[in-house]
Amino acid sequence: MLRTSFFLLLALALLGSCSEPRQPAVPMDLAQHALIPVPASLTATGSSFALTARTSIYVQAGSEELARTGAYLADKLRPATGFPLQVQNAAQAPGAGHIYLKLDPAAAGLGEEGYELAITESLVTLSAAQPAGVFRGVQTLRQLLPASVDAASPQPGPWNLPSGTIRDVPRFGFRGSMLDVARHFFGVDDVKRYIDLMAYYKLNVLHLHLSDDQGWRIEIKSWPNLTAHGGKTEVGGGEGGFYTQEQYSDLVRYAAERYILIIPEIDMPGHTNSALASYPELNCNGKAPDLYTGTNVGFSTLCTDKEITYKFVDDVVRELAALTPGPYIHLGGDESHATKKEDYIPFVNRVRGIVQQHGKTMIGWDETAQTSVDSTSVVQLWASKEYGLEAVRKGAPLIMSPANRVYLDMQYDSTSRLGLHWAGYIEVDTAYLWDPADLVPGIAEADLLGIEAPLWSETIDSMDDIEYLAFPRLICYAEIAWSPKAGRNWDSFKPRLAAHGPRLRAMEVDFYPSARVPWVQK
C-alpha cells in the first residue's frame, strides 16, 4: 500500500511539472531598455526571465516591510498579467521561475536607497541594505517589463525581463516635488495618485503647500476657524476644502509605505490672508480682511509685534509636528513684501526656534537666508542666487528649485493650455539640460540636499491638469536627482523618455506630448 502511494504521488508530481514547462529564454539586451532614471551601473547578459502564471514573489522572512513591498509589486503586476503572483516568505532563495526580494547586510555600500537587481533565466533577485532600496528596485523591475504591464486590465503579454545585473544608488538623498493645494484644493485621492506617480520614478519627497492667501488646508484643532472659514474657498471662488488631521495622517502613512517623506508647509509671515481672515487678532489692526480668491502676492502679513502671533505659530507647529514623523517643517518665508525687513528677520529667527523646540528642522524659501540660518536650517533656492550663496556661507544646506528650470507651473511654450510664464517657458529639453551643482558659481554639490520641482496651482484645478504640467518634466527632474551626472545626456535621455509614452498612456497619465520628443506610440 505504501509502495503504491509513493508511485502515485511521484506520477502526480511528474505530471504537474510537465503540465506547464518553463518557457525557453528569449534573447534580450538589458542595455537597450529605456530605464528612467538611468542606473548607476548595468551589465547585460543577453538572455531573459519569463514571468508566468507559476511565478511567485518570495520575500525574505522576518521583514514586515519586505512583505509589504512584495504585496505592492504583486498588486502592480496582477491586473495586466492576470497571474496570481502569490507572495510567500522564504528563508533562502526559491527555486527557478520566481522573484526573490531580500535584505543583504553586506550591501551597506548601497546606502539607504540603493539596490542590486540580478536577473537570470531562472530567477530574479532584488537585494538591498535597507527596505527602501528594495522598493526603489521594484520600480526598475516594473520598467523592464513591457509597457502594457502598467495597464489596469488584462493584456496579452508575454512578460519577459532582460537578463543581467543592475547596481544602482541615488545621487541625492532629497528628490522631491511640491504640490500647492492652497490656491486650488486637491483631495486625498488626487494626492495619492501623485504620490504613486512620483514613486514610479524614484522620487522620495512630497512637499505640501498647505496654506496661502487663498486657503488654509490642514485642520488645526486649537484654531478651528482656520479651516471652517479660511478653508472654504480657493482661486476663482470655488468651494475650497481641507484635510482633517486623520486624512493628513493617512496621506503621511500612504507616502511612507512608498518611502516618500511628506513635508508640510505653512507659509508665513506673508501669504497669510486665509489665516488673517479667520482670526482678526493676528492682524495689527485687529480687523479680519475678506477671504481672497485672486492670484496677486505680497500684500498680507502676520502682525509680528503681537505675542498672540507666536502663540498661533507655536500651536500650528506643535500640531503639525505631532502629525508628521519626518524631520522637516517648511515655514515658507517668501514674498513677504508687506513685512518690513526689520520685522521679518526677528520673526523668522523666532519661528525657527519654535520649530526646533518641537523637534523639527525648519526649511524656508531663499529669502530666509537673510536671517540667522546655519547648519540646523535648510534654505530652498527658488529665485535669488545671492540668497543661495548667503545660505551656503552661513552653513545652511540648500534645496535647489530654480524657478526658470524646475517650476512645473511654467508653460512649456506660448501655446500651452495651462500654466504661467513669469519665470520663462520650460520645454522638456530645458527641464533636462541643467545641473544643480553647476547652476550657481560658488554653490557645489556638497552644499546641496538635492532638488525639488514645485507645482503651484493658480491655473490648475484637476488631476488631469496636474499631470499635464508635471509630466513629462517631473521625469526629467527625477533623473537629474537620481542618476550620476557623468552618465546623463539629452541624446540618451530623449529616446528613453519617448519609450515611456506607452507607459504613461497605460497609466492613463494626461502628459504633454512635447514635439521635441519622438514619442513611441505602442
Side-chain angles (χ1 to χ4, degrees):
M1 181 68 178
L2 289 174
R3 185 176 179 183
T4 302
S5 298
F6 170 79
F7 282 112
L8 179 60
L9 289 171
L10 179 60
L12 288 172
L14 289 171
L15 180 63
S17 65
C18 296
S19 62
E20 190 178 347
R22 289 288 299 166
Q23 299 176 14
V26 176
M28 298 179 76
D29 185 355
L30 177 62
Q32 297 303 310
H33 275 65
L35 293 174
I36 302 176
V38 66
S41 68
L42 181 153
T43 302
T45 53
S47 190
S48 62
F49 170 91
L51 186 76
T52 72
R54 298 172 60 200
T55 301
S56 289
I57 298 170
Y58 286 84
V59 299
Q60 188 178 52
S63 172
E64 181 180 337
E65 290 184 76
L66 281 191
R68 189 173 64 226
T69 296
Y72 167 93
L73 175 59
D75 287 345
K76 292 298 182 184
L77 301 185
R78 284 184 189 123
T81 65
F83 299 156
L85 293 170
Q86 295 179 348
V87 180
Q88 305 184 47
N89 287 328
Q92 58 187 14
H98 302 296
I99 297 171
Y100 183 38
L101 312 183
K102 69 171 187 174
L103 297 177
D104 182 1
L110 293 173
E112 182 74 21
E113 297 181 279
Y115 64 91
E116 183 172 283
L117 179 60
I119 303 170
T120 68
E121 293 183 3
S122 59
L123 187 66
V124 176
T125 304
L126 174 55
S127 58
Q130 299 293 332
V134 174
F135 187 84
R136 303 296 176 227
V138 159
Q139 311 313 317
T140 299
L141 191 155
R142 292 172 65 193
Q143 290 188 20
L144 288 172
L145 287 163
S148 57
V149 80
D150 291 312
S153 59
Q155 304 295 312
W159 308 107
N160 296 313
L161 289 159
S163 67
T165 300
I166 293 172
R167 187 175 174 87
D168 204 7
V169 293
R171 178 185 180 189
F172 291 111
F174 189 109
R175 308 179 306 279
S177 181
M178 187 212 77
L179 183 60
D180 172 14
V181 297
R183 271 52 176 270
H184 281 99
F185 180 67
F186 297 94
V188 169
D189 289 344
D190 286 342
V191 178
K192 286 182 176 180
R193 176 160 170 81
Y194 199 59
I195 288 169
D196 280 329
L197 293 172
M198 289 174 61
Y200 190 76
Y201 291 101
K202 300 187 177 70
L203 294 165
N204 67 350
V205 176
L206 175 60
H207 166 185
L208 288 176
H209 184 76
L210 291 167
S211 71
D212 214 297
D213 292 313
Q214 299 86 351
W216 188 284
R217 308 305 182 196
I218 178 68
E219 177 188 22
I220 302 297
K221 293 184 183 295
S222 55
W223 296 74
N225 210 39
L226 289 170
T227 49
H229 183 64
K232 67 184 182 183
T233 191
E234 61 183 13
V235 166
E239 65 179 345
F242 66 93
Y243 309 117
T244 65
Q245 292 197 356
E246 291 75 20
Q247 288 174 320
Y248 176 80
S249 294
D250 180 50
L251 286 174
V252 169
R253 176 200 57 78
Y254 189 87
E257 289 178 353
R258 288 144 184 81
Y259 299 92
I260 288 177
L261 174 74
I262 284 187
I263 298 175
E265 179 187 353
I266 302 297
D267 208 346
M268 59 180 72
H271 291 275
T272 46
N273 191 80
S274 60
L276 303 176
S278 303
Y279 288 97
E281 59 267 39
L282 300 175
N283 291 274
C284 288
N285 64 7
K287 298 178 181 179
D290 293 335
L291 291 173
Y292 181 67
T293 60
T295 58
N296 291 331
V297 299
F299 61 88
S300 61
T301 182
L302 294 171
C303 192
T304 62
D305 291 335
K306 287 186 173 182
E307 279 304 305
I308 189 66
T309 295
Y310 300 98
K311 172 72 166 81
F312 164 75
V313 173
D314 186 75
D315 286 339
V316 170
V317 171
R318 171 177 53 80
E319 293 194 33
L320 267 183
L323 295 167
T324 307
Y328 302 113
I329 290 183
H330 203 303
L331 269 298
D334 62 316
E335 298 176 321
S336 194
H337 307 315
T339 314
K340 295 178 181 178
K341 185 174 181 178
E342 58 265 31
D343 297 327
Y344 175 88
I345 290 175
F347 172 85
V348 172
N349 286 336
R350 186 166 174 180
V351 169
R352 180 182 303 106
I354 291 171
V355 172
Q356 291 172 345
Q357 287 168 14
H358 290 287
K360 303 296 182 182
T361 296
M362 192 193 91
I363 302 176
W365 297 105
D366 60 36
E367 292 93 326
T368 61
Q370 303 169 82
T371 70
S372 300
V373 296
D374 56 21
S375 61
T376 65
S377 309
V378 177
V379 172
Q380 186 165 1
L381 189 158
W382 71 279
S384 171
K385 297 177 181 179
E386 291 72 24
Y387 285 150
L389 289 167
E390 188 171 353
V392 168
R393 286 194 296 269
K394 293 177 177 179
L398 285 178
I399 300 165
M400 293 297 278
S401 298
N404 63 350
R405 293 289 185 174
V406 303
Y407 267 33
L408 292 166
D409 54 303
M410 293 299 105
Q411 293 173 289
Y412 293 92
D413 59 28
S414 61
T415 68
S416 297
R417 62 181 176 87
L418 296 169
L420 305 169
H421 57 266
W422 58 262
Y425 298 111
I426 304 178
E427 248 290 1
V428 177
D429 54 347
T430 303
Y432 187 81
L433 288 168
W434 71 286
D435 191 83
D438 297 338
L439 192 66
V440 181
I443 297 178
E445 187 156 335
D447 301 317
L448 308 179
L449 285 183
I451 74 171
E452 178 183 290
L455 177 51
W456 303 99
S457 65
E458 288 95 334
T459 70
I460 61 175
D461 63 6
S462 70
M463 190 67 216
D464 283 346
D465 292 348
I466 289 174
E467 292 169 2
Y468 175 85
L469 287 179
F471 292 92
R473 291 181 293 195
L474 193 62
I475 304 173
C476 302
Y477 306 134
E479 177 150 303
I480 292 170
W482 178 282
S483 301
K485 177 182 176 181
R488 289 198 305 108
N489 64 78
W490 175 247
D491 289 339
S492 164
F493 179 75
K494 182 168 61 173
R496 284 185 289 115
L497 180 59
H500 275 240
R503 295 189 182 278
L504 294 171
R505 286 190 287 273
M507 291 187 284
E508 298 183 350
V509 176
D510 184 25
F511 69 98
Y512 170 74
S514 170
R516 301 188 184 185
V517 178
W519 298 100
V520 175
Q521 296 305 313
K522 293 183 179 181

